[in-house]
Amino acid sequence: MIPLEPTGSGQSDASQAEADDAGARSGRRRVQISSKLQAANRRADVIGAVRKARHQLPGDPAFGDPLSVSGPGGARAVARAADRIVGGSPSAAKEIGFGALQVWQAALERIGRGRGTEEVTIVFTDLVAFSSWSLAAGDERTLELLRKVAKAIEPPIAERGGQVVKRMGDGLMAVFSSPDRAVRAAIAARRNLAEVEIDGYKPRMRVGLHTGSPREIGGDWLGVDVNIAARMMEAGGNGNMMLSSTTLAALRPETLAELGATVKPYKRNFWAAPLNGVPEDVRIFKLSV
């Protein structure tokens, strides 16, 4: 018989076993590294360090909270999507991602696509005694009135470059880049509203204007200047148009003359409640046409 030569299968099996062991060790190392990274990602001290570092970056260091990522904008939209993917739990990776988006949003603001603290004129409106009328009129008539009111007052805002920030039942808040545009829009809106009538009811609108530098966050505008504009409207009483001394000073002199408008200082009724939230150096004026 011819002897068979060794096939080398034993050597191959040993090599395969060594390779399997090496692969298993590598896999265990990867799992260990991943576990350590995940643990570090959730550590409160690491998250705190990243958050602290974000204060050194341009933009809003709180970018990523619900208030700052609502509304339009590329960075906000990406932030909302990221939050849904990674969940609501705090993590270092999440903070790093929001830090990058924070810088992006700040860059958009610098080139005029995200608006930061630029000066705007804020306008608030509402209808006088609307609530008591709507209770007696019912839902159908109330809705009909609100639609007519919107058609009367919102086009003049858009036509003069204003932006309706939000609608609040029988009123709204809008912002303008120019106080002159804001005043022209408010006067035109009030003239249009004079044509609105339902079952003998003619709505009266009070308007408040103030010029300042509020902060735009999540599609809304926040800050002291917004509160002052709302207080201007409250001073409007039974349907007057009120503006702050800041807005009056920012108006071009010819604007009031072209509109045939006059202004006079506001004198609070003895029985009227004081307007909280208005700084002492801000005076209130009544505008009449």
Side-chain angles (χ1 to χ4, degrees):
M1 296 180 62
I2 301 174
L4 296 175
E5 294 182 359
T7 61
S9 60
Q11 184 178 358
S12 297
D13 290 343
S15 298
Q16 183 62 46
E18 290 178 1
D20 291 343
D21 288 343
R25 288 194 299 272
S26 177
R28 286 194 294 271
R29 283 196 297 270
R30 286 196 297 270
V31 171
Q32 290 172 353
I33 293 172
S34 177
S35 298
K36 290 179 180 179
L37 289 174
Q38 289 181 17
N41 192 39
R42 301 295 180 184
R43 282 177 53 179
D45 58 337
V46 176
I47 296 172
V50 177
R51 286 179 176 170
K52 185 176 181 180
R54 286 184 58 187
H55 284 269
Q56 307 303 317
L57 298 174
D60 180 8
F63 187 86
D65 68 346
L67 187 63
S68 62
V69 301
S70 61
R76 296 185 182 117
V78 173
R80 290 194 296 272
D83 193 51
R84 286 194 292 269
I85 293 171
V86 302
S89 301
S91 71
K94 186 176 180 179
E95 291 296 325
I96 292 171
F98 279 144
L101 293 171
Q102 165 188 333
V103 175
W104 181 14
Q105 179 65 17
L108 292 178
E109 291 182 356
R110 282 199 300 272
I111 63 175
R113 294 179 57 191
R115 283 190 184 167
T117 54
E118 66 187 63
E119 185 174 87
V120 296
T121 297
I122 309 150
V123 178
F124 274 93
T125 75
D126 79 351
L127 302 182
V128 178
F130 170 79
S131 298
S132 57
W133 174 84
S134 64
L135 285 174
D139 292 345
E140 185 175 346
R141 284 302 198 198
T142 296
L143 181 58
E144 182 182 354
L145 174 71
L146 290 177
R147 283 174 171 160
K148 288 187 175 184
V149 170
K151 289 180 180 180
I153 69 175
E154 293 194 24
I157 293 174
E159 290 164 4
R160 290 158 181 81
Q163 171 196 349
V164 175
V165 177
K166 54 188 171 184
R167 299 168 181 83
M168 301 164 290
D170 60 318
L172 58 75
M173 171 187 172
V175 294
F176 292 80
S177 61
S178 157
D180 302 273
R181 290 173 179 266
V183 168
R184 290 179 184 278
I187 291 175
R190 282 166 57 88
R191 285 174 175 162
N192 289 351
L193 189 64
E195 305 298 322
V196 175
E197 180 178 350
I198 291 186
D199 298 336
Y201 172 72
K202 292 187 174 183
R204 288 172 293 141
M205 182 175 71
R206 55 182 179 173
V207 183
L209 301 93
H210 174 65
T211 302
S213 299
R215 174 72 181 178
E216 186 192 19
I217 299 180
D220 199 354
W221 294 78
L222 306 174
V224 174
D225 289 311
V226 175
N227 296 333
I228 294 174
R231 298 298 178 266
M232 296 297 112
M233 182 193 70
E234 289 179 12
N238 291 326
N240 297 311
M241 186 183 306
M242 317 299 287
L243 65 161
S244 69
S245 52
T246 310
T247 298
L248 182 59
L251 283 172
R252 294 185 298 116
E254 59 268 28
T255 295
L256 295 179
E258 290 172 1
L259 294 170
T262 58
V263 294
K264 62 180 182 179
Y266 163 73
K267 293 183 178 180
R268 183 172 64 89
N269 186 291
F270 179 79
W271 303 106
L275 293 173
N276 296 323
V278 178
E280 293 183 1
D281 60 338
V282 176
R283 298 181 63 197
I284 305 173
F285 291 85
K286 176 183 175 182
L287 187 150
S288 303
V289 181

